[in-house]
Amino acid sequence: MNTVDYSRYQTLEITRRGPAVDGVPSVLDIRMKADGPGGNGKLPTAGHEGHWELSEIWRDVGRDDSVRCAVLRGSGMGFSGGGDLALVQDMATDFEVRTRVWKEARDLVYNVINCDKPIVSAMHGPAVGAGLVAGLLADISIAARSAKIVDGHTRLGVAAGDHAAIVWPLLCGMAKAKYYLMLCDPISGEEAERIGLVSLAVEDDALLDKAYEVADRLASGSQTAIRWTKYSLNNWLRQAGPAFDTSLALEFMGFAGPDVREGVASLRERRAPRYGIDG
């Protein structure tokens, strides 16, 4: 049996739980860290290292024969806090950083889609940025009713790339996708379930128990049947690949433009951005 050493991951805390196969628990519990190099002390954030790790982990999940299902969750006050502003600044000013992160952003989406093991996400509090990509692309996405889902790309001054074009219209329809992606309005977990953006919304204190329950059921089921069903269904997402690639290219072109500088400045100064508007 091929197993993977996960000790190289510094921004993700990885443990095992769930039904055992040959004495090894088969559910991989992946916690994005709010503390240390993986966060700001309150929320997990995607800096240089964290962004790469979140894109790479799904390759290891696929390679690990002892894993039947993975659970992705946050820590601290929420699921994910979005990109570290230092990383965003580097992307805006350094071509090499921008091209490297573009590849990671592409890999994150396709690695989640192509990982043959089922993935369950458990989202609480704020869910933004790279964490949200994996959270909404997960095969079973579960949100606390009070979770706050936000795609903040246009607020930052770049196009809604990442996962948005590939999955939001399919999940909640084009009208809702355009509204939330263009305006960056927050969506509660309860509303996200109502419009079809997530699989389930549960009471806050039941979130992790429900995620583990679903993961255990997936790990205990027919692995060929579950994995082949995932593969077939994800062909809907693969068909949207050209739209996704376009959105990602336009997002990263935006990182070289002037609006992202105003977006970063407004976030640091805790004020509304002024994109060519007086006052």
Side-chain angles (χ1 to χ4, degrees):
M1 179 183 291
N2 181 47
T3 59
V4 172
D5 179 7
Y6 296 97
S7 62
R8 64 176 173 151
Y9 292 97
Q10 301 301 306
T11 68
L12 304 173
E13 181 181 65
I14 299 170
T15 54
R16 291 179 181 268
R17 58 164 312 281
V21 178
D22 296 330
V24 180
S26 60
V27 175
L28 204 67
D29 191 36
I30 304 168
R31 181 179 74 89
M32 296 180 285
K33 294 181 182 179
D35 52 342
N40 59 15
K42 296 180 180 179
L43 289 167
T45 57
H48 285 274
E49 189 68 20
H51 195 270
W52 175 81
E53 289 189 2
L54 195 58
S55 70
E56 182 67 15
I57 184 65
W58 311 111
R59 287 194 176 107
D60 280 341
V61 170
R63 281 193 290 260
D64 194 333
D65 294 334
S66 67
V67 173
R68 289 187 164 199
C69 184
V71 173
L72 179 68
R73 60 189 178 96
S75 58
M77 296 174 62
F79 183 69
S80 60
D84 179 86
L85 285 181
L87 173 60
V88 174
Q89 186 70 49
D90 289 345
M91 291 165 61
T93 57
D94 189 315
F95 177 77
E96 290 188 5
V97 171
R98 188 158 60 248
T99 53
R100 189 202 79 222
V101 178
W102 162 78
K103 182 178 183 298
E104 292 172 2
R106 182 198 66 192
D107 289 349
L108 171 54
V109 168
Y110 285 128
N111 288 348
V112 171
I113 291 171
N114 292 326
C115 176
D116 64 340
K117 316 293 173 58
I119 301 165
V120 178
S121 62
M123 296 181 279
H124 79 288
V128 188
L132 181 62
V133 174
L136 290 184
L137 284 172
D139 304 294
I140 307 294
S141 53
I142 306 175
R145 294 193 188 281
S146 68
K148 184 180 178 182
I149 295 170
V150 183
D151 188 294
H153 282 85
T154 62
R155 166 66 176 79
L156 183 62
V158 296
D162 286 347
H163 67 303
I166 203 169
V167 74
W168 281 58
L170 188 62
L171 292 175
C172 63
M174 185 64 77
K176 290 292 188 185
K178 284 183 176 179
Y179 180 86
Y180 286 110
L181 295 174
M182 289 181 174
L183 293 175
C184 300
D185 278 5
I187 311 172
S188 69
E190 186 171 18
E191 178 67 5
E193 181 189 42
R194 190 189 72 80
I195 66 176
L197 190 63
V198 300
S199 305
L200 295 172
V202 299
E203 298 300 332
D204 292 24
D205 58 3
L207 176 64
L208 204 52
D209 286 343
K210 186 62 177 180
Y212 287 158
E213 174 200 331
V214 171
D216 289 354
R217 289 174 60 192
L218 290 167
S220 299
S222 165
Q223 294 305 288
T224 52
I226 290 169
R227 294 176 193 181
W228 294 346
T229 297
K230 170 177 178 169
Y231 183 87
S232 298
L233 288 171
N234 277 359
N235 278 326
W236 288 99
L237 300 178
R238 294 183 185 96
Q239 287 183 86
F244 163 65
D245 291 338
T246 299
S247 73
L248 197 62
L250 293 171
E251 175 190 356
F252 277 75
M253 186 163 68
F255 277 112
D259 281 357
V260 75
R261 292 193 289 272
E262 168 60 14
V264 170
S266 69
L267 287 170
R268 284 182 167 154
E269 296 166 15
R270 298 175 183 258
R271 59 170 174 82
R274 296 186 290 270
Y275 295 123
I277 300 298
D278 296 336

